[in-house]
Amino acid sequence: MIGPEIDRLIQLLAKLPGLGPRSARRVALHLIKRREGLMGPLAEALAAAASSIRTCSVCGNLDSHDPCFICTGAGRDPSLLCVVEDVGDLWALERTGAFRGRYHVLGGTLSALDGVGPDDLSIPGLLERASQPQVGEVILALNATVGGQTTAHYLSDRLAPCGVRISRLAHGVPVGGELDYLDDGTLTAALRSRRTL
Amino acid sequence: MALLLTRDHGRHAGLLHGGQSARYRALLEPGNLLTAGWRARVADQLGSWSLEVERAYAAPFLDDPQRLACLASVCALLDGLLADREPHPGLFGATIALFEALSTDVWAEVYVRWEIGLLEEVGFGLDLSRCAASGQAASDLFTGNDRLSHVSPRTGRAVSASAAEPYKSKLLPLPPFLLGLSEGGPEEVQQGLALTGHFLEHRAFAQRHVEVPSARVRFVERYARIHRP
């Protein structure tokens, strides 16, 4: 009933995060109906991205240039190095516009249950960068999870001989958060990290 | 797929629909105590979970590298040593007790006791009740001004100080707090970790042809580094 090309398109779309077979069929139909206006440009954009995007050899970011635009950006503060788990976290921090330093993408966090050890992360590159004289502070922007914080403590130990200031993101009440709805752990962390007004 | 330690059914796997989503990420943190429902058409199937957090034990310790490393070590050891669907209700209770004890000052001593309990559950229990050489009970030795002071690395049986004297270098020191003779402390905890570590490495994990989980190794290294004399 469905041709092999469409079937393959549906199968590939169903592999995207958040899409199952039903929604993949809907997306495929939407694309097919808009072949000229959407499907063609999308296919071109995908092909261009696939051929040009590479991993930055300095920080691990994804960009069409190596080193990436953040590592080569003139307006970036070279004394600040922000360590993130994944490129998605780097993008999230960039969206805020609040950080003007440089990044280092670890490529994961330590996980005893998933068998992820220090050798699986880009730690040697981080230590090398943190040892450079222009770096003054390393910010460990890792998730507030067991894996994220275990990694943060591990990195803090490894970075200690580099002689840089080591900091981490605050844990506590999110903007717009109501205390009544927060879990005990977040409230405890918020109380511990309270500031003088 | 989510792997849980359950009270009545041991290490148990099941599918969690949408388990990779942000909604479930906080729920599936190692060390969380959950209320879990498992459903399958027949018992042999993988089945699926319905989960709800009862208590997030790790959350208060995210800033405490030692306790966090301890919690990670517990989860890694349980994952590495327990067989699927083999009930260990005692070990489940001991694990909850250990997580409760993490907020106290004696958490490290409790952890060593927990590892001894774990070894016993997986078939490598230590015999700290009497001297392997003389056969005297620990309580009898104590009244006679002697005490169990070492453990044989081969048999896991305790030896009294007088009997251990000629072979001291070949035996593992037995920290007095494990016999209720002291309150413990960092030095005794490290002796305890070396004792349980030997049997975890050379018995429990060697039998499975795998190495001791890196989470335990990191925990022991961190503890030793912080409490270096």
Side-chain angles (χ1 to χ4, degrees):
Chain A
M1 208 159 74
I2 296 177
E5 295 84 4
I6 299 176
D7 196 40
R8 182 166 153 72
L9 177 64
I10 292 169
Q11 278 179 24
L12 289 172
L13 286 169
K15 289 182 179 175
L16 295 176
L19 291 187
R22 283 173 75 93
S23 42
R25 268 200 296 274
R26 211 173 304 137
V27 172
L29 187 60
H30 183 82
L31 288 170
I32 291 163
K33 281 180 178 172
R34 289 161 185 77
R35 257 171 292 179
E36 302 300 320
L38 184 60
M39 199 176 189
L42 178 65
E44 283 170 23
L46 286 171
S51 64
S52 66
I53 289 178
R54 61 207 71 186
T55 303
C56 175
S57 55
V58 179
C59 72
N61 187 18
L62 295 173
D63 195 14
S64 50
H65 296 93
D66 183 16
C68 70
F69 78 100
I70 294 176
C71 290
T72 51
R76 293 278 170 172
D77 183 352
S79 69
L80 290 175
L81 191 58
C82 182
V83 181
V84 292
E85 178 184 337
D86 203 13
V87 176
D89 299 331
L90 185 157
W91 289 353
L93 284 166
E94 277 298 284
R95 273 202 309 272
T96 66
F99 180 70
R100 300 303 302 162
R102 291 184 174 147
Y103 294 93
H104 189 86
V105 181
L106 274 183
T109 53
L110 298 176
S111 171
L113 300 179
D114 296 330
V116 181
D119 296 341
D120 302 310
L121 308 177
S122 68
I123 294 174
L126 170 64
L127 298 178
E128 197 184 317
R129 293 181 75 191
S131 306
Q132 290 168 358
Q134 71 267 28
V135 176
E137 181 176 355
V138 175
I139 303 165
L140 301 174
L142 299 170
N143 293 333
T145 58
V146 173
Q149 292 311 298
T150 301
T151 311
H153 295 310
Y154 178 80
L155 290 179
S156 157
D157 290 345
R158 296 288 306 271
L159 287 164
C162 299
V164 288
R165 180 175 179 238
I166 303 163
S167 59
R168 66 152 176 81
L169 297 185
H171 301 155
V173 184
V175 175
E178 294 180 32
L179 299 189
D180 195 23
Y181 288 95
L182 292 182
D183 63 276
D184 299 350
T186 307
L187 271 176
T188 309
L191 270 171
R192 281 187 189 153
S193 314
R194 66 187 181 276
R195 281 188 189 178
T196 308
L197 282 175
Chain B
M1 195 178 80
L3 203 57
L4 309 184
L5 173 67
T6 63
R7 190 184 53 208
D8 299 328
H9 305 280
R11 183 181 187 269
H12 202 300
L15 196 71
L16 183 67
H17 295 288
Q20 298 278 11
S21 66
R23 182 184 158 209
Y24 283 116
R25 217 167 287 159
L27 188 136
L28 294 175
E29 280 293 290
N32 275 3
L33 179 65
L34 308 171
T35 304
W38 181 79
R39 188 189 286 185
R41 202 166 50 80
V42 288
D44 287 348
Q45 281 183 330
L46 178 63
S48 62
W49 290 117
S50 60
L51 304 173
E52 202 177 312
V53 179
E54 213 168 284
R55 186 145 174 211
Y57 279 109
F61 305 118
L62 291 182
D63 281 342
D64 187 326
Q66 282 193 86
R67 286 174 167 88
L68 199 62
C70 172
L71 190 134
S73 174
V74 169
C75 294
L77 289 174
L78 288 171
D79 185 43
L81 287 179
L82 299 186
D84 281 348
R85 301 193 186 189
E86 196 179 272
H88 294 280
L91 184 60
F92 180 89
T95 306
I96 296 296
L98 168 60
F99 286 169
E100 293 282 352
L102 282 177
S103 53
T104 69
D105 292 336
V106 293
W107 65 272
E109 287 81 357
V110 178
Y111 175 79
V112 175
R113 288 183 184 279
W114 178 86
E115 279 196 344
I116 289 176
L118 173 67
L119 282 167
E120 197 170 328
E121 285 284 325
V122 296
F124 299 102
L126 308 182
D127 181 3
L128 309 181
S129 62
R130 57 184 61 248
C131 174
S134 66
Q136 278 185 290
S139 52
D140 295 343
L141 285 166
F142 187 60
T143 51
N145 235 356
D146 199 359
R147 74 165 186 90
L148 297 176
S149 66
H150 288 79
V151 174
S152 160
R154 202 171 56 81
T155 63
R157 296 179 68 193
V159 189
S160 67
S162 53
E165 194 55 44
Y167 315 103
K168 247 180 173 174
S169 60
K170 292 177 181 168
L171 300 171
L172 297 163
L174 173 62
F177 84 89
L178 288 177
L179 301 168
L181 301 176
S182 81
E183 290 186 354
E187 197 184 330
E188 288 192 28
V189 167
Q190 286 178 72
Q191 283 181 344
L193 290 172
L195 175 67
T196 51
H198 173 85
F199 290 100
L200 284 170
E201 183 182 348
H202 297 285
R203 295 287 184 272
F205 282 99
Q207 193 194 45
R208 289 159 178 78
H209 305 291
V210 288
E211 289 183 358
V212 173
S214 56
R216 193 206 182 255
V217 176
R218 279 199 298 273
F219 165 61
V220 174
E221 283 174 358
R222 178 177 284 281
Y223 192 88
R225 195 169 57 245
I226 289 173
H227 297 283
R228 199 174 285 155

